């Protein structure tokens, strides 16, 4: 039963903390303002609840709304944990990181939209296909990159290729400190035909370290 002292907002914040998702990132995925999330009270409109369950299929709707059961849906949680334990499996996002130019990429992807693929190492959050030739000859068109998110406020491994998720799209570049502004990062291509990009830090949603490359993968 629901704890009378605990609101839907309280449980939502518990879930975001468990998933390591900030309020601003949650608001972005939901298409809301951060102020809306902060002002949220005991309940949520049905359309917002439907959007949340679409974005976070592991979330137990009854727990969120009424405090009944566990935070995660048992079937989803068990299947995910079992898959990861047996084969280092990760979701393959149905979008591409364009190695040449920014690609418009603003919608969030639900797990049910993703194939599950094998990863050669443990610790990846997801995999993403790479398209374009700007990272040739080191990273080829058609490569699959297995990645994990980093805490860019604590440390950025400068000089390494990373997946950069921005408000204008998602791309793969080698990341360096900007020589023009402390408020930017510099994103460089390996292919000399492509110029470096200055990306404002304020436009970056997340940086993802590449933990493995795959050319041929099997789906489940």
């Amino acid at each position: 039963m629901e704890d009378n002292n605990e609101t839907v907002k309280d449980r939502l914040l518990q879930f975001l903390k468990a998933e390591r998702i900030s309020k601003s990132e949650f608001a972005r995925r939901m298409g809301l303002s951060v102020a809306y999330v902060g002002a949220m009270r005991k309940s949520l409109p049905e359309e917002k609840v439907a959007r949340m369950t679409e974005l976070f299929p592991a979330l137990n709707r009854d727990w969120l709304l009424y405090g009944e059961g566990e935070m995660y849906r048992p079937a989803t949680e068990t299947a995910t944990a079992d898959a990861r334990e047996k084969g280092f499996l990760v979701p393959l996002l149905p979008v591409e990181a364009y190695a040449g130019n920014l690609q418009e990429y603003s919608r969030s992807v639900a797990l049910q939209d993703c194939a599950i693929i094998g990863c050669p190492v443990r610790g990846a959050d997801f995999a993403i296909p790479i398209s374009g030739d700007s990272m040739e000859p080191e990273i080829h068109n058609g490569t699959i990159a297995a990645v994990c998110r980093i805490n860019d406020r604590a440390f950025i491994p400068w000089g390494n290729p990373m997946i950069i998720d921005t408000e204008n799209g998602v791309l793969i570049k080698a990341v360096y400190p900007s020589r023009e502004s402390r408020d930017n990062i510099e994103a460089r291509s390996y292919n000399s035909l492509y110029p470096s990009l200055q990306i404002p830090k304020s436009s970056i949603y997340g940086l993802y370290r590449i933990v493995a490359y795959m050319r041929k993968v099997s789906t489940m």
Side-chain angles (χ1 to χ4, degrees), residues 148-168:
C148 67
R149 181 162 185 162
I150 67 166
N151 181 356
D152 55 281
R153 293 183 179 180
F155 173 73
I156 297 177
W158 300 114
N160 291 291
M162 305 188 72
I163 298 295
I164 311 169
D165 184 15
T166 80
E167 63 184 16
N168 293 316

Side-chain angles (χ1 to χ4, degrees), residues 4 8 16 20 35 42 54 63-64 75 82 92 94-95 107 128 135 150 158 181 191 195 205 210 218-219:
N4 290 331
V8 172
L16 296 182
R20 294 182 292 179
K42 291 185 177 181
E54 177 186 346
W63 173 83
L64 174 68
D82 184 62
L92 174 65
V95 296
R107 72 179 186 87
I128 185 169
M135 298 303 281
I150 67 166
W158 300 114
S181 171
N191 187 334
Y205 295 139
I210 299 172
S218 59
T219 59

Side-chain angles (χ1 to χ4, degrees), residues 57-72:
L59 175 62
N60 184 342
R61 182 179 183 275
D62 290 340
W63 173 83
L64 174 68
L65 296 180
Y66 314 115
E68 297 178 354
E70 302 297 327
M71 179 185 297
Y72 293 99

